[in-house]
Amino acid sequence: MSDLYRRRLIPDECLHLKNDHIIHISKDIIVTKWNTIHPKAEFSHGISMYCLNEGWKISKFFTSENKLKYIYCDIIDTDYNSLKDEYIFTDLLADVIIENSGFVKVVDLDELADACSNELISTSLLTASLHRLNNLLSIIYDGSFKDYIYKLDSYFSKDKEI
C-alpha cells in the first residue's frame, strides 16, 4: 500500500501520514479517512480526497459527534516516487474553507506571501498555487464544486462510520 506524506513549508516539516486509511487510490484521486494528528476541540476526524490533476485536497472535518464542521480545501503539489510507492503532498499554503452556511473564506494568503518573501517557495510553485486557487474558487462560485463533494461522499456509505 502506498505511503502518504504531508510536507509543509511553514514550518518546514515532512510528516508521514501513517495512520491515514486509504479508501481508494487511482491515477487521478486518492481518498482517505483519518483522525486528527493533533487533537482539537472543534473537530476530531475527517475524510479527504486528493485531486491529483487539479492540485487540491478537499477535506470534510467532523466533530466527535460525527457532525460536519466545515469543508477545508488545501492547495497542494504532488510528488510520486514509484520506486518507493510514496506520495509527498506539499501544502502550497493557500486554503479555502467552506462553512456549512455556504460562506466561502480564503485563508493563509499571508503565509504564501511570507514564503515568497523568505524564498521558501519557488516562483513556479507560487504561480501554481495561485492558478490552482483561482481554478478552485471558479468551480465553487459556478456551483460545480458539489460534484467533487458528491464524488468524495460516494466512497463512504451511510452505514459505514466516517
Side-chain angles (χ1 to χ4, degrees):
M1 186 57 77
S2 299
D3 284 318
L4 309 179
Y5 292 86
R6 180 187 73 196
R7 180 171 177 256
R8 293 178 55 182
L9 301 174
I10 301 173
D12 183 13
E13 67 179 11
C14 190
L15 205 63
H16 184 207
L17 302 174
K18 61 182 181 256
N19 295 322
D20 285 22
H21 181 69
I22 297 173
I23 303 299
H24 171 83
I25 191 165
S26 69
K27 66 180 180 72
D28 300 325
I29 64 169
I30 298 173
V31 178
T32 63
K33 72 178 191 175
W34 44 267
N35 291 317
T36 55
I37 295 170
H38 306 291
K40 300 182 183 336
E42 64 268 15
F43 57 86
S44 63
H45 63 286
I47 58 177
S48 296
M49 181 169 67
Y50 296 85
C51 302
L52 303 178
N53 296 330
E54 290 90 344
W56 312 320
K57 179 176 78 167
I58 301 168
S59 300
K60 293 177 99 173
F61 286 47
F62 294 95
T63 66
S64 57
E65 293 83 31
N66 227 21
K67 293 182 181 178
L68 179 65
K69 179 69 177 172
Y70 47 71
I71 296 170
Y72 197 97
C73 304
D74 291 282
I75 305 302
I76 61 169
D77 193 62
T78 304
D79 289 311
Y80 177 65
N81 182 326
S82 60
L83 295 176
K84 295 181 178 181
D85 191 24
E86 67 182 23
Y87 291 84
I88 298 175
F89 303 106
T90 301
D91 180 350
L92 296 182
L93 302 167
D95 301 310
V96 176
I97 298 171
I98 304 170
E99 302 284 350
N100 290 333
S101 67
F103 181 74
V104 176
K105 184 170 28 174
V106 178
V107 296
D108 297 336
L109 293 180
D110 58 333
E111 288 185 5
L112 187 56
D114 290 345
C116 181
S117 294
N118 295 318
E119 299 179 355
L120 302 175
I121 189 169
S122 67
T123 302
S124 63
L125 281 180
L126 172 68
T127 304
S129 179
L130 293 171
H131 282 295
R132 292 169 190 173
L133 173 63
N134 184 68
N135 292 341
L136 176 60
L137 290 171
S138 293
I139 68 153
I140 290 170
Y141 296 145
D142 76 13
S144 58
F145 184 74
K146 68 182 180 320
D147 298 335
Y148 287 84
I149 296 302
Y150 178 79
K151 187 174 201 169
L152 174 59
D153 289 343
S154 72
Y155 289 98
F156 301 93
S157 66
K158 293 197 185 276
D159 59 331
K160 282 185 185 175
E161 186 175 324
I162 293 175

